[in-house]
Amino acid sequence: GAGVSQTPSNKVTEKGKYVELRCDPISGHTALYWYRQSLGQGPEFLIYFQGTGAADDSGLPNDRFFAVRPEGSVSTLKIQRTERGDSAVYLCASSLTGVPTEAFFGQGTRLTVV
Amino acid sequence: AQKITQTQPGMFVQEKEAVTLDCTYDTSDQSYGLFWYKQPSSGEMIFLIYQGSYDEQNATEGRYSLNFQKARKSANLVISASQLGDSAMYFCAMRGSNFGNEKLTFGTGTRLTIIP
């Protein structure tokens, strides 16, 4: 597709369950970012991939959060033992490498932990 | 560490008027980039405009312009001739390097409502 695609668009899960959120970036974009946006706040950085490797994972809140990008395109954000505080919109963005450019965002996955 | 401050949680503006959304930033980096994004109710973040810290002229993109005052560390967004479709959340953001792919630090946003 032409833009960043995120699936599912909505996810409701029970506290303690495991969830996976998927991001399909723009073709050719080597940089991929995950952000989390809580209600009434701006997005907060979680992790940044350059190719297959996580170049910066300083925003991951704890070891329940993990992300992979095994082939340098699609990325999956994994959350174990979900808590109600994990409820938020998870945004994915991708961008080209090495030039002053904007990041293109997907529409996000709204995660609700009940 | 980088910080973005947006002090206007909400604004109401009459259609066709110009509007200025405030943004101040704090960083110890010598080189950085400033961004404005629009987030409509559908949720996606739409890039509007970019200003590099070494750019001498203020950035413009159609009806959007960025009033960059480096000494004051401000990067206000000006929307001319506002339209009903401009109603949305607006976020100011900063990146640590002009020519890299560093993470973006966002402000808390301003909700803009255009009144017919």
Side-chain angles (χ1 to χ4, degrees), chain A residues 13-70:
Chain A
T13 191
E14 292 181 347
K15 179 175 176 295
K17 297 290 189 182
Y18 167 84
V19 296
E20 290 189 352
L21 311 179
R22 175 187 168 107
C23 173
D24 200 337
I26 293 172
S27 178
H29 281 191
T30 58
L32 185 146
Y33 309 78
W34 283 99
Y35 289 83
R36 179 169 70 174
Q37 186 175 19
S38 301
L39 192 63
Q41 300 295 316
E44 293 180 302
F45 170 78
L46 294 177
I47 188 169
Y48 152 52
F49 286 91
Q50 187 58 259
T52 59
D56 183 352
D57 64 358
S58 61
L60 295 177
N62 51 59
D63 61 5
R64 295 187 298 105
F65 288 74
F66 189 71
V68 295
R69 195 185 185 198

Side-chain angles (χ1 to χ4, degrees), chain B residues 16-35:
Chain B
K16 300 181 184 177
E17 289 186 351
V19 55
T20 298
L21 304 182
D22 294 341
C23 172
T24 58
Y25 61 91
D26 191 20
T27 181
S28 56
D29 290 342
Q30 294 300 309
S31 175
Y32 50 88
L34 294 158
F35 300 75

